[in-house]
Amino acid sequence: MKSQDETLEDWCRALLQAFELEDVEVDVDEVLALAGVAAHSVVRPAAPLTTFIAGFAAGMASGSGQAPDSVSMQAAMGVARALAMDYAAADSAEAAPQPDSGPAVSSGNPGA
């Protein structure tokens, strides 16, 4: 029986072949790490969505000649990872209790 890593490598090769992308190198561990960041920083379903959009962005950059495949992939995954981590930080900041500013002080003027 194949290990999970062997199965993923085989599956990756099969997908690349089906899309006629045999010359593209995919760092499966890096893609899975990005999926993990998205799943834990946003919500679990963000994992496949994030990796799909990052891959699409990398493909657009490579296809338009902006950068070679490896550079496009690293840049897209870096942007997605940073955004997911920023999303989690912003979400945590919103959920954190705000410091109490103390009791309201009246000016003594009922109309103020």
Side-chain angles (χ1 to χ4, degrees):
M1 178 180 252
K2 290 186 210 176
S3 71
Q4 179 174 301
D5 289 343
E6 291 170 323
T7 301
L8 287 173
E9 288 294 333
D10 286 350
W11 175 241
C12 183
R13 275 192 299 281
L15 282 171
L16 291 171
Q17 185 176 25
F19 289 110
E20 298 178 4
L21 298 170
E22 292 93 342
D23 60 333
V24 174
E25 293 205 21
V26 176
D27 185 339
V28 173
D29 292 332
E30 185 70 21
V31 173
L32 295 176
L34 172 59
V37 169
H40 297 296
S41 298
V42 185
V43 292
R44 286 188 85 176
L49 182 62
T50 302
T51 55
F52 173 81
I53 293 173
F56 190 84
M60 293 294 291
S62 292
S64 67
Q66 292 177 357
D69 291 344
S70 62
V71 172
S72 297
M73 284 190 264
Q74 288 301 315
M77 288 194 291
V79 167
R81 181 179 293 104
L83 187 60
M85 293 171 77
D86 288 349
Y87 188 92
D91 198 39
S92 294
E94 287 178 15
Q98 299 300 315
D100 187 13
S101 60
V105 178
S106 171
S107 64
N109 182 348

Coordinates of all heavy atoms in Angstrom, one line a residue:
M1 N 0.9 -1.2 0.0 CA 0.0 0.0 0.0 C 0.9 1.2 0.0 O 1.9 1.3 0.7 CB -0.9 0.0 1.2 CG -1.8 1.2 1.3 SD -2.9 1.2 2.8 CE -4.4 0.9 2.0
K2 N 0.5 2.2 -0.8 CA 1.3 3.5 -0.9 C 1.0 4.3 0.3 O 0.0 4.3 0.9 CB 0.8 4.3 -2.1 CG 1.2 3.7 -3.4 CD 0.8 4.7 -4.5 CE 0.4 4.0 -5.8 NZ -0.1 5.0 -6.8
S3 N 2.1 5.1 0.7 CA 1.9 6.1 1.7 C 1.1 7.3 1.2 O 0.9 7.4 0.0 CB 3.3 6.6 2.2 OG 3.9 7.4 1.2
Q4 N 0.7 8.1 2.1 CA -0.1 9.3 1.7 C 0.8 10.2 0.8 O 0.3 10.7 -0.2 CB -0.5 10.1 3.0 CG -1.3 11.4 2.6 CD -1.8 12.1 3.8 OE1 -2.6 11.5 4.6 NE2 -1.4 13.3 4.1
D5 N 2.1 10.4 1.2 CA 3.0 11.2 0.4 C 3.1 10.7 -1.0 O 3.1 11.4 -2.0 CB 4.3 11.3 1.0 CG 4.3 12.2 2.3 OD1 3.3 13.0 2.5 OD2 5.3 12.1 3.1
E6 N 3.3 9.3 -1.2 CA 3.4 8.7 -2.5 C 2.2 8.9 -3.3 O 2.2 9.2 -4.5 CB 3.7 7.2 -2.3 CG 5.1 6.9 -1.8 CD 5.3 5.4 -1.4 OE1 4.3 4.8 -1.0 OE2 6.4 5.0 -1.7
T7 N 1.0 8.7 -2.6 CA -0.3 8.9 -3.3 C -0.4 10.3 -3.8 O -0.8 10.6 -5.0 CB -1.4 8.5 -2.4 OG1 -1.3 7.2 -2.0 CG2 -2.8 8.7 -3.1
L8 N -0.1 11.3 -3.0 CA -0.2 12.7 -3.4 C 0.8 13.0 -4.5 O 0.4 13.8 -5.5 CB 0.1 13.6 -2.2 CG -1.0 13.7 -1.2 CD1 -0.6 14.5 0.0 CD2 -2.3 14.3 -1.8
E9 N 2.0 12.5 -4.5 CA 2.9 12.7 -5.6 C 2.4 12.1 -6.9 O 2.5 12.7 -8.0 CB 4.3 12.2 -5.2 CG 5.0 13.0 -4.2 CD 5.4 14.4 -4.6 OE1 5.6 14.6 -5.8 OE2 5.5 15.2 -3.7
D10 N 1.9 10.9 -6.8 CA 1.3 10.2 -8.0 C 0.1 11.0 -8.5 O 0.0 11.2 -9.7 CB 0.8 8.8 -7.7 CG 2.0 7.8 -7.5 OD1 3.1 8.2 -7.8 OD2 1.7 6.7 -7.0
W11 N -0.8 11.5 -7.6 CA -1.9 12.3 -8.0 C -1.5 13.6 -8.7 O -2.1 14.0 -9.7 CB -2.8 12.5 -6.8 CG -4.0 13.4 -7.1 CD1 -4.3 14.6 -6.5 CD2 -5.1 13.1 -8.0 NE1 -5.4 15.1 -7.0 CE2 -5.9 14.2 -8.0 CE3 -5.3 12.1 -8.9 CZ2 -7.1 14.3 -8.8 CZ3 -6.5 12.2 -9.7 CH2 -7.3 13.3 -9.6
C12 N -0.5 14.2 -8.1 CA 0.0 15.5 -8.7 C 0.5 15.2 -10.1 O 0.2 16.0 -11.0 CB 1.1 16.0 -7.8 SG 1.7 17.6 -8.3
R13 N 1.3 14.2 -10.3 CA 1.8 13.9 -11.6 C 0.7 13.6 -12.6 O 0.7 14.0 -13.7 CB 2.8 12.7 -11.5 CG 4.2 13.1 -11.2 CD 5.2 11.9 -11.4 NE 4.9 10.7 -10.6 CZ 5.3 10.6 -9.3 NH1 5.9 11.6 -8.7 NH2 5.0 9.5 -8.7
A14 N -0.3 12.8 -12.1 CA -1.5 12.5 -13.0 C -2.2 13.8 -13.4 O -2.6 14.0 -14.6 CB -2.4 11.6 -12.3
L15 N -2.4 14.7 -12.5 CA -3.1 16.0 -12.8 C -2.3 16.8 -13.8 O -2.8 17.3 -14.7 CB -3.3 16.8 -11.5 CG -4.5 16.4 -10.7 CD1 -4.5 17.1 -9.3 CD2 -5.8 16.6 -11.4
L16 N -1.0 16.9 -13.5 CA -0.1 17.7 -14.4 C -0.1 17.1 -15.8 O -0.2 17.8 -16.8 CB 1.3 17.7 -13.8 CG 1.5 18.6 -12.6 CD1 2.9 18.4 -12.0 CD2 1.2 20.0 -12.8
Q17 N -0.1 15.8 -15.9 CA -0.1 15.1 -17.2 C -1.4 15.4 -17.9 O -1.5 15.7 -19.1 CB 0.1 13.6 -17.0 CG 0.3 12.9 -18.4 CD 0.6 11.4 -18.2 OE1 0.3 10.8 -17.1 NE2 1.2 10.8 -19.2
A18 N -2.5 15.3 -17.2 CA -3.9 15.5 -17.7 C -4.0 16.9 -18.3 O -4.7 17.1 -19.3 CB -4.9 15.2 -16.7
F19 N -3.3 17.9 -17.7 CA -3.4 19.3 -18.1 C -2.2 19.6 -19.0 O -2.0 20.8 -19.3 CB -3.5 20.2 -16.9 CG -4.8 20.2 -16.2 CD1 -4.9 19.6 -15.0 CD2 -6.0 20.6 -16.8 CE1 -6.1 19.5 -14.3 CE2 -7.2 20.6 -16.2 CZ -7.3 20.0 -14.9
E20 N -1.4 18.6 -19.4 CA -0.2 18.8 -20.3 C 0.7 19.8 -19.6 O 1.2 20.7 -20.3 CB -0.7 19.2 -21.7 CG -1.5 18.1 -22.3 CD -2.0 18.5 -23.7 OE1 -1.6 19.6 -24.2 OE2 -2.7 17.7 -24.3
L21 N 1.0 19.6 -18.3 CA 1.9 20.5 -17.6 C 3.0 19.7 -17.0 O 3.5 20.0 -15.9 CB 1.1 21.2 -16.5 CG 0.0 22.1 -16.9 CD1 -0.9 22.6 -15.7 CD2 0.5 23.3 -17.7
E22 N 3.5 18.7 -17.7 CA 4.5 17.8 -17.1 C 5.8 18.5 -16.7 O 6.5 18.0 -15.9 CB 4.8 16.6 -18.1 CG 3.7 15.7 -18.4 CD 2.8 16.0 -19.6 OE1 2.9 17.2 -20.0 OE2 2.1 15.2 -20.0
D23 N 6.1 19.6 -17.4 CA 7.3 20.3 -17.1 C 7.2 21.3 -15.9 O 8.2 21.9 -15.5 CB 7.8 21.1 -18.3 CG 6.8 22.1 -18.8 OD1 5.6 21.9 -18.6 OD2 7.2 23.1 -19.4
V24 N 6.0 21.4 -15.3 CA 5.8 22.2 -14.1 C 6.1 21.4 -12.9 O 5.7 20.3 -12.7 CB 4.3 22.7 -14.1 CG1 4.1 23.5 -12.8 CG2 4.0 23.6 -15.3
E25 N 6.9 22.1 -12.0 CA 7.2 21.4 -10.7 C 6.3 22.0 -9.6 O 6.2 23.2 -9.5 CB 8.7 21.7 -10.4 CG 9.6 21.0 -11.4 CD 11.0 20.7 -10.8 OE1 11.1 20.6 -9.5 OE2 11.9 20.4 -11.6
V26 N 5.7 21.1 -8.9 CA 4.8 21.6 -7.8 C 5.4 21.1 -6.5 O 5.7 19.9 -6.3 CB 3.4 21.0 -8.0 CG1 2.5 21.3 -6.8 CG2 2.8 21.5 -9.3
D27 N 5.6 22.0 -5.6 CA 6.0 21.6 -4.2 C 4.7 21.2 -3.4 O 4.1 22.1 -2.9 CB 6.8 22.8 -3.6 CG 7.4 22.4 -2.2 OD1 6.9 21.4 -1.6 OD2 8.3 23.1 -1.8
V28 N 4.4 20.0 -3.4 CA 3.2 19.5 -2.7 C 3.2 19.9 -1.3 O 2.1 20.4 -0.8 CB 3.1 18.0 -2.9 CG1 1.9 17.5 -2.1 CG2 2.9 17.6 -4.3
D29 N 4.3 19.8 -0.6 CA 4.3 20.2 0.8 C 4.0 21.7 1.0 O 3.3 22.1 2.0 CB 5.7 19.9 1.5 CG 5.9 18.4 1.6 OD1 4.9 17.6 1.7 OD2 7.1 17.9 1.5
E30 N 4.5 22.5 0.1 CA 4.3 24.0 0.2 C 2.8 24.3 0.0 O 2.2 25.1 0.7 CB 5.2 24.7 -0.8 CG 5.1 26.2 -0.7 CD 5.7 26.8 0.5 OE1 6.6 26.1 1.2 OE2 5.3 27.9 0.9
V31 N 2.2 23.6 -1.0 CA 0.8 23.8 -1.3 C -0.1 23.4 -0.1 O -1.0 24.1 0.4 CB 0.3 23.1 -2.5 CG1 -1.2 23.1 -2.7 CG2 1.1 23.6 -3.8
L32 N 0.3 22.2 0.5 CA -0.4 21.7 1.7 C -0.2 22.7 2.9 O -1.2 22.9 3.7 CB 0.0 20.3 2.0 CG -0.3 19.3 1.0 CD1 0.2 17.9 1.4 CD2 -1.8 19.2 0.7
A33 N 0.9 23.2 3.0 CA 1.2 24.2 4.1 C 0.3 25.4 3.9 O -0.2 25.9 4.9 CB 2.7 24.6 4.2
L34 N 0.2 25.9 2.7 CA -0.6 27.1 2.4 C -2.1 26.7 2.8 O -2.8 27.5 3.4 CB -0.5 27.5 1.0 CG -1.5 28.6 0.5 CD1 -1.4 29.9 1.4 CD2 -1.3 28.9 -1.0
A35 N -2.5 25.6 2.4 CA -3.9 25.1 2.7 C -4.1 25.1 4.2 O -5.2 25.5 4.7 CB -4.2 23.8 2.1
G36 N -3.1 24.6 4.9 CA -3.2 24.6 6.4 C -3.3 26.0 7.0 O -4.1 26.2 7.9
V37 N -2.5 26.9 6.5 CA -2.6 28.3 7.0 C -4.0 28.8 6.7 O -4.6 29.4 7.6 CB -1.5 29.2 6.4 CG1 -1.8 30.6 6.7 CG2 -0.1 28.8 6.8
A38 N -4.5 28.7 5.5 CA -5.8 29.2 5.2 C -6.9 28.5 6.1 O -7.8 29.2 6.6 CB -6.1 29.0 3.7
A39 N -6.8 27.2 6.2 CA -7.8 26.5 7.0 C -7.9 27.0 8.5 O -8.9 27.1 9.0 CB -7.6 25.0 6.9
H40 N -6.7 27.2 9.0 CA -6.6 27.6 10.4 C -6.8 29.1 10.7 O -7.1 29.5 11.8 CB -5.3 27.1 11.1 CG -5.3 25.6 11.1 ND1 -6.1 24.8 11.8 CD2 -4.4 24.7 10.4 CE1 -5.8 23.5 11.5 NE2 -4.8 23.4 10.7
S41 N -6.5 29.9 9.7 CA -6.5 31.3 9.8 C -7.8 31.9 9.4 O -8.2 33.0 9.9 CB -5.4 32.0 9.0 OG -4.1 31.6 9.5
V42 N -8.5 31.3 8.5 CA -9.8 31.8 8.0 C -10.9 30.8 8.5 O -11.4 31.0 9.6 CB -9.8 32.0 6.5 CG1 -11.0 32.6 6.0 CG2 -8.5 32.8 6.0
V43 N -11.2 29.9 7.7 CA -12.1 28.7 8.0 C -11.7 27.6 7.1 O -11.0 27.8 6.1 CB -13.6 29.0 7.7 CG1 -14.2 30.1 8.7 CG2 -13.9 29.5 6.3
R44 N -12.0 26.4 7.5 CA -11.5 25.2 6.8 C -11.8 25.2 5.3 O -10.9 24.9 4.5 CB -12.1 23.9 7.4 CG -11.5 23.6 8.8 CD -11.9 22.3 9.3 NE -11.0 21.3 8.6 CZ -11.1 20.0 8.9 NH1 -12.0 19.5 9.7 NH2 -10.2 19.2 8.3
P45 N -13.0 25.6 4.9 CA -13.2 25.6 3.4 C -12.4 26.6 2.7 O -12.3 26.6 1.4 CB -14.7 25.9 3.3 CG -15.3 25.6 4.6 CD -14.2 25.8 5.6
A46 N -11.7 27.5 3.4 CA -10.8 28.5 2.7 C -9.6 27.8 2.1 O -8.9 28.3 1.3 CB -10.4 29.6 3.7
A47 N -9.3 26.6 2.6 CA -8.1 25.9 2.1 C -8.1 25.6 0.6 O -7.2 26.0 -0.1 CB -7.8 24.6 2.9
P48 N -9.1 24.9 0.1 CA -9.1 24.6 -1.3 C -9.3 25.9 -2.1 O -8.7 26.1 -3.2 CB -10.2 23.6 -1.5 CG -11.1 23.7 -0.3 CD -10.2 24.2 0.8
L49 N -10.1 26.8 -1.6 CA -10.4 28.1 -2.3 C -9.1 28.9 -2.4 O -8.7 29.4 -3.5 CB -11.4 28.9 -1.6 CG -11.8 30.2 -2.2 CD1 -12.4 30.0 -3.6 CD2 -12.8 30.9 -1.3
T50 N -8.3 29.0 -1.4 CA -7.1 29.7 -1.3 C -6.1 29.1 -2.3 O -5.4 29.8 -3.1 CB -6.5 29.8 0.1 OG1 -7.5 30.4 0.9 CG2 -5.2 30.6 0.1
T51 N -5.9 27.8 -2.2 CA -4.9 27.2 -3.1 C -5.3 27.3 -4.6 O -4.5 27.5 -5.4 CB -4.7 25.7 -2.7 OG1 -5.9 25.0 -2.7 CG2 -4.0 25.6 -1.4
F52 N -6.6 27.2 -4.9 CA -7.1 27.3 -6.2 C -6.8 28.7 -6.8 O -6.2 28.9 -7.8 CB -8.6 27.1 -6.4 CG -9.1 27.4 -7.7 CD1 -9.0 26.5 -8.8 CD2 -9.7 28.6 -8.0 CE1 -9.4 26.7 -10.1 CE2 -10.2 28.9 -9.3 CZ -10.0 28.0 -10.3
I53 N -7.2 29.8 -6.0 CA -7.0 31.1 -6.4 C -5.5 31.5 -6.6 O -5.0 32.1 -7.5 CB -7.7 32.1 -5.5 CG1 -9.2 31.9 -5.7 CG2 -7.3 33.6 -5.8 CD1 -10.1 32.7 -4.7
A54 N -4.7 31.0 -5.6 CA -3.2 31.2 -5.7 C -2.7 30.6 -6.9 O -1.8 31.2 -7.7 CB -2.5 30.7 -4.4
G55 N -3.1 29.4 -7.2 CA -2.6 28.7 -8.4 C -3.1 29.4 -9.7 O -2.3 29.5 -10.7
F56 N -4.3 29.8 -9.7 CA -4.8 30.6 -10.9 C -4.0 31.8 -11.1 O -3.6 32.2 -12.2 CB -6.3 30.9 -10.6 CG -7.0 31.4 -11.9 CD1 -7.5 30.6 -12.8 CD2 -7.1 32.8 -12.1 CE1 -8.1 31.1 -14.0 CE2 -7.7 33.3 -13.2 CZ -8.2 32.4 -14.2
A57 N -3.7 32.6 -10.0 CA -2.9 33.8 -10.1 C -1.5 33.5 -10.6 O -1.0 34.2 -11.4 CB -2.9 34.5 -8.7
A58 N -0.9 32.4 -10.1 CA 0.4 32.0 -10.5 C 0.4 31.7 -12.0 O 1.3 32.1 -12.8 CB 0.9 30.9 -9.7
G59 N -0.6 31.0 -12.5 CA -0.8 30.6 -13.9 C -0.9 31.8 -14.8 O -0.3 31.9 -15.9
M60 N -1.7 32.8 -14.3 CA -1.9 34.0 -15.1 C -0.6 34.8 -15.2 O -0.2 35.3 -16.3 CB -3.0 34.9 -14.4 CG -4.3 34.3 -14.5 SD -5.0 34.2 -16.1 CE -5.3 35.9 -16.5
A61 N 0.2 34.9 -14.1 CA 1.5 35.6 -14.1 C 2.5 34.9 -15.0 O 3.1 35.5 -15.8 CB 2.0 35.7 -12.7
S62 N 2.5 33.5 -14.9 CA 3.4 32.8 -15.8 C 3.0 32.9 -17.3 O 3.8 33.1 -18.1 CB 3.4 31.3 -15.4 OG 4.1 31.2 -14.1
G63 N 1.7 32.7 -17.5 CA 1.2 32.7 -18.9 C 1.4 34.0 -19.6 O 1.5 34.1 -20.8
S64 N 1.3 35.1 -18.8 CA 1.5 36.4 -19.4 C 3.0 36.8 -19.6 O 3.3 37.9 -20.0 CB 0.7 37.5 -18.6 OG 1.3 37.6 -17.3
G65 N 3.8 36.0 -19.0 CA 5.3 36.3 -19.1 C 5.8 37.2 -18.1 O 6.9 37.6 -18.1
Q66 N 5.0 37.5 -17.0 CA 5.5 38.3 -15.9 C 6.6 37.7 -15.1 O 7.4 38.4 -14.6 CB 4.3 38.7 -15.0 CG 3.2 39.5 -15.6 CD 2.1 39.8 -14.6 OE1 2.0 39.2 -13.5 NE2 1.1 40.5 -15.1
A67 N 6.6 36.4 -15.0 CA 7.6 35.7 -14.2 C 7.6 34.2 -14.6 O 6.6 33.7 -15.1 CB 7.3 35.9 -12.7
P68 N 8.8 33.6 -14.4 CA 8.8 32.1 -14.6 C 7.9 31.4 -13.6 O 7.5 31.9 -12.6 CB 10.2 31.7 -14.3 CG 11.0 33.0 -14.1 CD 10.0 34.1 -13.9
D69 N 7.5 30.1 -14.0 CA 6.6 29.4 -13.1 C 6.9 29.3 -11.7 O 6.1 29.6 -10.8 CB 6.5 27.9 -13.6 CG 5.9 27.7 -15.0 OD1 5.2 28.7 -15.4 OD2 6.0 26.7 -15.6
S70 N 8.2 29.0 -11.3 CA 8.6 28.9 -9.9 C 8.4 30.2 -9.2 O 8.0 30.2 -8.0 CB 10.0 28.3 -9.8 OG 10.9 29.2 -10.4
V71 N 8.8 31.3 -9.8 CA 8.7 32.6 -9.2 C 7.2 33.0 -9.0 O 6.8 33.5 -7.9 CB 9.4 33.7 -10.0 CG1 9.2 35.1 -9.4 CG2 10.9 33.4 -10.0
S72 N 6.4 32.7 -10.0 CA 5.0 33.0 -9.9 C 4.3 32.2 -8.8 O 3.5 32.8 -8.1 CB 4.3 32.7 -11.3 OG 4.8 33.5 -12.3
M73 N 4.6 30.9 -8.7 CA 4.0 30.1 -7.7 C 4.4 30.6 -6.3 O 3.6 30.7 -5.4 CB 4.4 28.6 -7.9 CG 3.6 28.0 -9.0 SD 3.8 26.2 -9.1 CE 5.1 26.1 -10.3
Q74 N 5.7 30.8 -6.1 CA 6.2 31.3 -4.8 C 5.5 32.6 -4.4 O 5.1 32.8 -3.3 CB 7.7 31.4 -4.7 CG 8.4 30.0 -4.7 CD 7.9 29.2 -3.5 OE1 7.8 29.6 -2.4 NE2 7.6 27.9 -3.8
A75 N 5.4 33.5 -5.4 CA 4.9 34.9 -5.1 C 3.4 34.7 -4.7 O 2.9 35.3 -3.8 CB 5.1 35.8 -6.3
A76 N 2.7 34.0 -5.5 CA 1.2 33.8 -5.3 C 0.9 33.2 -3.9 O 0.1 33.6 -3.2 CB 0.6 33.0 -6.4
M77 N 1.7 32.1 -3.6 CA 1.5 31.4 -2.3 C 1.9 32.4 -1.2 O 1.3 32.4 -0.1 CB 2.3 30.1 -2.3 CG 1.6 29.1 -3.2 SD 2.2 27.4 -2.9 CE 3.8 27.5 -3.5
G78 N 2.9 33.2 -1.4 CA 3.4 34.1 -0.3 C 2.3 35.2 -0.1 O 2.0 35.5 1.1
V79 N 1.7 35.7 -1.1 CA 0.6 36.7 -1.0 C -0.6 36.0 -0.2 O -1.1 36.6 0.7 CB 0.2 37.2 -2.3 CG1 -1.1 38.0 -2.2 CG2 1.3 38.1 -2.9
A80 N -0.9 34.8 -0.7 CA -2.1 34.1 -0.1 C -1.8 33.8 1.4 O -2.7 34.0 2.3 CB -2.4 32.9 -0.8
R81 N -0.6 33.4 1.7 CA -0.3 33.1 3.1 C -0.3 34.3 4.0 O -0.9 34.3 5.1 CB 1.1 32.4 3.2 CG 1.6 32.1 4.6 CD 2.9 31.4 4.6 NE 2.9 30.1 4.0 CZ 3.4 29.9 2.8 NH1 4.0 30.8 2.1 NH2 3.3 28.7 2.3
A82 N 0.3 35.4 3.5 CA 0.3 36.7 4.3 C -1.1 37.2 4.5 O -1.5 37.6 5.6 CB 1.2 37.7 3.6
L83 N -1.9 37.1 3.4 CA -3.3 37.6 3.5 C -4.1 36.8 4.6 O -4.9 37.3 5.4 CB -4.0 37.5 2.2 CG -5.4 38.2 2.1 CD1 -5.3 39.7 2.5 CD2 -5.9 38.0 0.7
A84 N -3.9 35.4 4.5 CA -4.6 34.6 5.5 C -4.2 34.9 6.9 O -5.0 34.9 7.8 CB -4.4 33.1 5.2
M85 N -2.9 35.1 7.1 CA -2.4 35.4 8.5 C -2.9 36.8 8.9 O -3.3 36.9 10.1 CB -0.9 35.3 8.5 CG -0.4 33.8 8.3 SD 1.3 33.6 8.0 CE 1.9 33.8 9.7
D86 N -2.9 37.7 8.0 CA -3.5 39.1 8.3 C -5.0 39.0 8.7 O -5.4 39.7 9.5 CB -3.2 40.0 7.2 CG -1.8 40.5 7.0 OD1 -1.0 40.1 7.9 OD2 -1.5 41.1 6.0
Y87 N -5.7 38.1 7.9 CA -7.1 38.0 8.1 C -7.3 37.4 9.6 O -8.2 37.9 10.3 CB -7.7 37.0 7.1 CG -9.2 36.9 7.1 CD1 -10.0 37.7 6.3 CD2 -9.8 36.0 8.0 CE1 -11.3 37.6 6.4 CE2 -11.2 35.9 8.0 CZ -11.9 36.7 7.2 OH -13.3 36.6 7.2
A88 N -6.5 36.5 9.9 CA -6.7 35.9 11.3 C -6.4 36.9 12.4 O -7.0 37.0 13.4 CB -5.8 34.7 11.5
A89 N -5.3 37.7 12.1 CA -4.9 38.7 13.1 C -6.0 39.8 13.2 O -6.4 40.2 14.3 CB -3.6 39.4 12.7
A90 N -6.6 40.2 12.1 CA -7.6 41.2 12.1 C -8.9 40.7 12.8 O -9.6 41.4 13.6 CB -8.0 41.7 10.7
D91 N -9.2 39.4 12.5 CA -10.4 38.8 13.1 C -10.2 38.7 14.7 O -11.1 38.9 15.4 CB -10.6 37.4 12.5 CG -12.0 36.8 12.8 OD1 -12.9 37.6 12.7 OD2 -12.1 35.6 13.0
S92 N -9.0 38.3 15.1 CA -8.7 38.3 16.5 C -8.8 39.6 17.2 O -9.3 39.7 18.3 CB -7.3 37.7 16.7 OG -7.2 36.4 16.3
A93 N -8.3 40.6 16.5 CA -8.4 42.0 17.1 C -9.8 42.4 17.3 O -10.2 43.1 18.2 CB -7.6 43.0 16.2
E94 N -10.7 42.1 16.3 CA -12.1 42.4 16.4 C -12.8 41.7 17.5 O -13.6 42.2 18.2 CB -12.8 42.1 15.1 CG -12.5 43.1 14.0 CD -13.2 42.7 12.7 OE1 -14.1 41.9 12.7 OE2 -12.8 43.3 11.6
A95 N -12.4 40.5 17.8 CA -13.0 39.6 18.8 C -12.5 40.0 20.2 O -13.1 39.6 21.2 CB -12.8 38.2 18.5
A96 N -11.3 40.6 20.3 CA -10.7 40.9 21.6 C -11.5 41.9 22.3 O -12.0 42.9 21.7 CB -9.3 41.3 21.4
P97 N -11.7 41.8 23.6 CA -12.4 42.8 24.4 C -11.6 44.1 24.3 O -10.4 44.2 24.4 CB -12.5 42.3 25.8 CG -11.6 41.0 25.8 CD -11.2 40.7 24.5
Q98 N -12.4 45.2 24.1 CA -11.8 46.5 24.1 C -11.6 47.0 25.5 O -12.4 46.8 26.4 CB -12.7 47.5 23.3 CG -12.9 47.1 21.9 CD -11.7 47.0 21.1 OE1 -10.8 47.9 21.1 NE2 -11.5 45.9 20.3
P99 N -10.5 47.8 25.7 CA -10.2 48.3 27.1 C -11.4 49.2 27.5 O -11.9 50.0 26.7 CB -8.9 49.0 27.0 CG -8.5 49.0 25.5 CD -9.5 48.1 24.8
D100 N -11.7 49.1 28.8 CA -12.8 50.0 29.3 C -12.2 51.4 29.5 O -11.2 51.6 30.1 CB -13.3 49.4 30.6 CG -14.5 50.1 31.2 OD1 -15.1 50.9 30.4 OD2 -14.8 50.0 32.4
S101 N -13.0 52.4 28.9 CA -12.5 53.7 29.0 C -13.0 54.4 30.3 O -12.8 55.6 30.5 CB -13.0 54.5 27.8 OG -14.4 54.5 27.8
G102 N -13.6 53.6 31.2 CA -14.0 54.2 32.5 C -15.4 54.7 32.3 O -16.0 54.7 31.3
P103 N -16.0 55.2 33.5 CA -17.3 55.7 33.5 C -17.4 57.0 32.7 O -16.5 57.8 32.6 CB -17.6 55.9 35.0 CG -16.3 56.0 35.6 CD -15.3 55.2 34.8
A104 N -18.6 57.2 32.1 CA -18.8 58.4 31.4 C -18.9 59.6 32.4 O -19.4 59.5 33.4 CB -20.1 58.4 30.6
V105 N -18.2 60.7 32.0 CA -18.2 61.8 32.9 C -19.2 62.9 32.3 O -19.2 63.2 31.2 CB -16.8 62.5 32.9 CG1 -16.7 63.7 33.7 CG2 -15.8 61.4 33.3
S106 N -20.1 63.3 33.2 CA -21.1 64.3 32.8 C -20.5 65.7 33.0 O -19.8 66.0 34.0 CB -22.3 64.1 33.7 OG -23.2 65.1 33.5
S107 N -20.9 66.5 32.1 CA -20.4 67.9 32.2 C -21.3 68.7 33.2 O -21.0 69.9 33.4 CB -20.4 68.6 30.8 OG -21.8 68.7 30.3
G108 N -22.4 68.1 33.6 CA -23.3 68.8 34.5 C -24.3 69.6 33.7 O -25.2 70.1 34.3
N109 N -24.2 69.7 32.5 CA -25.1 70.4 31.6 C -26.0 69.3 30.9 O -25.5 68.6 30.1 CB -24.3 71.2 30.6 CG -25.2 72.0 29.7 OD1 -26.4 71.8 29.7 ND2 -24.6 72.9 28.9
P110 N -27.3 69.3 31.3 CA -28.1 68.3 30.7 C -28.2 68.3 29.2 O -28.5 67.3 28.6 CB -29.5 68.5 31.4 CG -29.3 69.6 32.3 CD -28.0 70.1 32.2
G111 N -28.0 69.4 28.6 CA -28.1 69.5 27.1 C -26.9 69.2 26.4 O -26.8 69.1 25.2
A112 N -25.8 68.9 27.2 CA -24.5 68.7 26.5 C -24.3 67.2 26.2 O -24.8 66.3 26.7 CB -23.3 69.1 27.4

